[in-house]
Amino acid sequence: MRASEYLIPTLRETPAEAEVVSHRLLLKAGYIRKAASGFYTLLPLAHRVLQKIMRIIREEMDRQGGQEILLPIMQPAELWLRSGRWQVYGPELFRLKDRHGRDFCLGPTHEEIITELVMGDVRSHKQLPLLLYQMQNKYRDERRPRFGLLRGREFIMKDLYSFDRDEAGLEVSYRKMFEAYQRVFGRLGLEFRPVEADSGPIGGNVSHEFMVLAGSGEALVVHCPGAACGYAANVEKAESGAKRPRHEEEPAALELAPTPGKRTVDDVCAFLEVGPERIVKTLLYETDKGPCAALVRGDREVNEVKLGNAVGAVHLEMAGPETIRRITGAPVGFTGPVGLEGVRFVVDDEVSFMVNCITGANQGDAHYRNVNPGRDFPLPLVTDLRLVREKDPCPRCGLPLLAARGIEVGQVFKLGTKYSEVMGLTYLDEHGAERPVVMGCYGIGVTRTLAAAVEQNHDEQGMIWPAAIAPFAVVVVPVNVRDEVQSELAEKAYAALSGAGVDVLLDDRPERPGVKFKDADLVGYPLRVTVGKTAADGLVELRLRKNGDTRLAGIGELAAVVRALL
RNA sequence: CGGGGCGUAGCUCAGCUUGGCUAGAGCGCUACCUUGGGGUGGUAGAGGCCGCAGGUUCAAGUCCUGUCGCUCCGACCA
């Protein structure tokens, strides 16, 4: 491919709308253009990258026995009404009508239609297991599209669904997919980490997320430094490690302490001259299962996912000042468990071990001292409720955990029979008994992976693609195209590399060398072959984008040297 | 959905407060000259429904109302 004939509209200035690095670079380097909020055109460079990513995904899905299909993107409302998600999905579902006024939606995911498919055509245990996947556009009318390709309203996702006879079969399918994902992200050249994840509203009991590690990632994960242990989890899911032993201290008598205007843990600590680990924080939440009070130590945060799971709530949010006053009779900042009624208590296990702690007194400007869980307030539900943070002990081996940020690019779930039972997806086993199909689902955000690769691999100059997914692995840059020696040698280099099966772009534009070098760095070709001063000697210069290392090579050995470097 | 900000040339932005000739700059683009190892220097050009609609006014890019779009922060998610 020749740059003079190829559409690579790089910008000198960055469009103002872009905030995150991948969005900015993708726009600036001429990979994408916005069509509308959350909708992007992929220009040739991005399209090439996408094709390479999809190819690797396909190969790994197929290797595990996956069979690719193509499903309708536009789907009848009827299907979604039957699963109940026409209502549940809410405004995120893009809805439209055909000319007859019938309701349709643009698929945000494909569980319904694939279940429908399998229900119609799979009846016997002889047809199982089955791994079906598709890689297509999905649509979600996000509340707030942002970050360019990291969160669009239209995006490409690979979804594979596994259908098995029983749990043992599901376990096999799950492991196959887990391995496939490791291979996919490894081949893409990304630094990633699989972590334990909450299965969320999709349900099921086991789930892992695949995180591309990047400082800009929205997700926070913790992992154990112990090589033998290997524990890693999304903080939403991460379990708390070893419990703190009970204080060797005799419970003292409950005592009211005036704390005028001291609403925050910090204020109360300073005023009463105690550490935050002596305080019990009582947070009121409103949930679809009624109000509840979450109790954690003063220096801890509530993990809302754990709280939701503990009370069986799907939606929860912190109560506002009016609600707090109605329930506690006190303003914000003085809520405590002693004498509190009309709410469900959920107590972090760490709190249950505390002795002589300090809590709000449910009256303005006062706290209690020497509060003792169990004695001064009930413990109907003691559970792991706190948010795990860095340096907390690993729940498996006790070593201090490390934290990292990541971009979620894939998630695998064991769905079990949750879906199939609701939808009536069954098969006849070898004894003629009707049994629910055991399902799993496995997604990869393909367009998001493209953006995540940029988030993880860039510098001030531009992108730095892993060779496996670079739009072109090599760019050949003649310094002066009007110099016949240089342009001829550049053509030879281009032909040699093309002939050797390397994806190569010849930057034959009559631009100044500085312009071409800047563009090459911006677009992020892993390797640049510069044809300049040394051309008369038949030598070209090779420069690695990631570290700037350079070396000379003769035209005859070029293809071999390039292949060794990539 | 709540709270801010912004819509003027392909891109980045002035101009609006205090209404007044033909609406500006830099970059990019076109042609020519120059230069030729990190966005060269010059000459001449092209390019605008000032987001849209209504209103006020002798006069609106500028003031008022409405509307649409974009964006950032917050609550939710691949």
Side-chain angles (χ1 to χ4, degrees):
Chain A
M1 206 62 67
R2 289 160 192 276
S4 62
E5 301 166 354
Y6 205 66
L7 183 63
I8 308 179
T10 58
L11 302 174
R12 215 172 239 206
E13 280 170 285
T14 306
E17 68 195 46
E19 190 62 21
V20 297
V21 139
S22 64
H23 190 195
R24 217 168 56 221
L25 288 176
L26 287 166
L27 285 167
K28 191 173 181 204
Y31 283 73
I32 64 171
R33 289 293 181 259
K34 184 174 64 187
S37 177
F39 291 89
Y40 291 87
T41 296
L42 300 194
L43 298 178
L45 287 177
H47 189 254
R48 287 183 72 96
V49 175
L50 194 70
Q51 292 304 318
K52 291 187 178 188
I53 294 173
M54 294 203 295
R55 180 174 175 178
I56 288 172
I57 294 173
R58 280 202 175 92
E59 287 174 2
E60 295 303 332
M61 293 303 113
D62 293 350
R63 179 198 300 275
Q64 303 295 350
Q67 303 170 46
E68 184 168 10
I69 58 177
L70 216 48
L71 294 166
I73 286 169
M74 187 162 145
Q75 304 173 4
E78 187 201 347
L79 211 50
W80 287 76
L81 284 165
R82 226 187 300 150
S83 73
R85 292 210 292 183
W86 184 259
Q87 278 80 21
V88 172
Y89 231 96
E92 287 212 349
L93 195 61
F94 273 108
R95 293 157 211 255
L96 63 165
K97 286 182 193 293
D98 70 6
R99 68 201 297 166
H100 307 294
R102 286 204 299 221
D103 289 307
F104 286 82
C105 66
L106 300 180
T109 176
H110 285 75
E111 279 91 5
E112 275 76 4
I113 201 150
I114 203 157
T115 308
E116 176 87 354
L117 172 83
V118 174
M119 276 173 74
D121 290 286
V122 174
R123 295 172 196 80
S124 158
H125 68 277
K126 294 174 194 164
Q127 293 169 293
L128 300 176
L130 191 59
L131 304 176
L132 296 174
Y133 74 96
Q134 41 84 252
M135 212 171 339
Q136 299 176 237
N137 285 2
K138 314 265 161 131
Y139 296 83
R140 291 185 196 172
D141 199 355
E142 286 281 344
R143 287 177 178 193
R144 186 181 162 200
R146 55 179 151 178
F147 304 150
L149 291 188
L150 283 172
R151 174 167 317 206
R153 291 195 284 177
E154 175 181 74
F155 53 97
I156 299 173
M157 196 154 102
K158 185 281 306 177
D159 261 323
L160 183 144
Y161 296 92
S162 66
F163 303 90
D164 281 284
R165 299 181 186 111
D166 50 28
E167 287 291 330
L170 171 59
E171 183 59 34
V172 171
S173 295
Y174 192 82
R175 284 196 186 159
K176 281 183 174 178
M177 282 303 116
F178 194 94
E179 185 194 331
Y181 276 40
Q182 304 240 48
R183 294 183 59 96
V184 165
F185 295 113
R187 285 182 63 188
L188 293 177
L190 301 176
E191 194 187 342
F192 70 99
R193 191 187 303 282
V195 301
E196 294 182 14
D198 186 73
S199 50
I202 295 181
N205 43 6
V206 174
S207 177
H208 288 84
E209 289 168 332
F210 284 75
M211 298 287 186
V212 166
L213 301 177
S216 57
E218 287 189 275
L220 189 62
V221 302
V222 289
H223 63 276
C224 179
C229 174
Y231 180 76
N234 191 317
V235 288
E236 289 180 354
K237 166 77 176 176
E239 305 156 36
S240 299
K243 315 285 181 271
R244 195 163 284 240
R246 193 183 180 90
H247 291 284
E248 295 302 325
E249 194 176 315
E250 286 305 310
L254 191 65
E255 183 184 312
L256 193 66
T259 50
K262 308 302 175 194
R263 294 163 185 277
T264 68
V265 169
D266 285 348
D267 288 347
V268 174
C269 285
F271 186 73
L272 296 178
E273 298 181 332
V274 295
E277 69 284 350
R278 297 298 297 230
I279 296 198
V280 171
K281 208 158 47 170
T282 306
L283 301 168
L284 294 181
Y285 281 85
E286 297 194 81
T287 79
D288 49 300
K289 296 286 164 64
C292 66
L295 276 67
V296 294
R297 218 171 62 182
D299 58 336
R300 292 288 188 175
E301 301 297 323
V302 170
N303 181 331
E304 295 188 354
V305 171
K306 289 179 182 174
L307 178 61
N309 288 341
V311 300
V314 179
H315 298 290
L316 69 161
E317 57 183 312
M318 290 194 70
E322 311 79 35
T323 311
I324 289 175
R325 184 172 276 283
R326 178 167 48 79
I327 293 173
T328 70
V332 177
F334 301 97
T335 306
V338 181
L340 191 62
E341 286 179 359
V343 294
R344 217 165 141 189
F345 278 36
V346 186
V347 182
D348 185 46
D349 47 30
E350 195 174 53
V351 168
S352 69
F353 296 124
M354 291 168 71
V355 176
N356 295 337
C357 43
I358 290 161
T359 74
N362 297 323
Q363 47 184 282
D365 299 331
H367 281 72
Y368 280 120
R369 284 180 194 272
N370 301 330
V371 175
N372 286 287
R375 183 191 75 177
D376 300 316
F377 63 89
L379 300 171
L381 179 51
V382 174
T383 184
D384 174 10
L385 193 61
R386 60 193 183 273
L387 197 64
V388 169
R389 60 193 174 198
E390 190 160 31
K391 299 196 179 87
D392 277 359
C394 171
R396 300 280 182 272
C397 73
L399 283 172
L401 291 169
L402 299 174
R405 296 212 148 264
I407 300 165
E408 184 192 340
V409 289
Q411 186 163 16
V412 293
F413 294 93
K414 288 187 186 175
L415 293 177
T417 56
K418 182 175 169 167
Y419 256 87
S420 45
E421 279 174 4
V422 174
M423 302 282 290
L425 173 58
T426 59
Y427 70 98
L428 290 183
D429 69 13
E430 57 269 56
H431 308 298
E434 191 171 11
R435 305 184 57 180
V437 172
V438 184
M439 297 174 59
C441 78
Y442 317 85
I444 293 178
V446 181
T447 28
R448 173 179 278 188
T449 299
L450 188 159
V454 179
E455 287 291 329
Q456 187 181 77
N457 301 284
H458 68 271
D459 62 17
E460 308 71 40
Q461 302 303 314
M463 310 180 186
I464 307 173
W465 286 104
I469 56 174
F472 294 94
V474 178
V475 61
V476 174
V477 180
V479 169
N480 182 358
V481 292
R482 301 221 300 242
D483 179 313
E484 291 208 354
V485 177
Q486 288 184 20
S487 59
E488 262 176 40
L489 189 63
E491 289 285 349
K492 275 187 198 161
Y494 174 62
L497 292 171
S498 300
V502 175
D503 273 333
V504 56
L505 181 78
L506 176 64
D507 193 350
D508 57 345
R509 295 174 301 164
E511 290 288 346
R512 309 252 323 162
V515 172
K516 296 203 267 193
F517 292 158
K518 287 282 186 190
D519 271 354
D521 287 349
L522 179 62
V523 171
Y525 314 100
L527 185 63
R528 189 180 86 200
V529 173
T530 312
V531 185
K533 292 169 192 155
T534 56
D537 304 321
L539 294 173
V540 299
E541 179 184 293
L542 280 65
R543 181 176 183 275
L544 279 174
R545 173 68 178 85
K546 65 179 172 213
N547 57 17
D549 285 354
T550 60
R551 59 160 291 183
L552 292 174
I555 187 73
E557 58 174 347
L558 180 62
V561 174
V562 164
R563 260 195 296 218
L565 284 173
L566 289 177

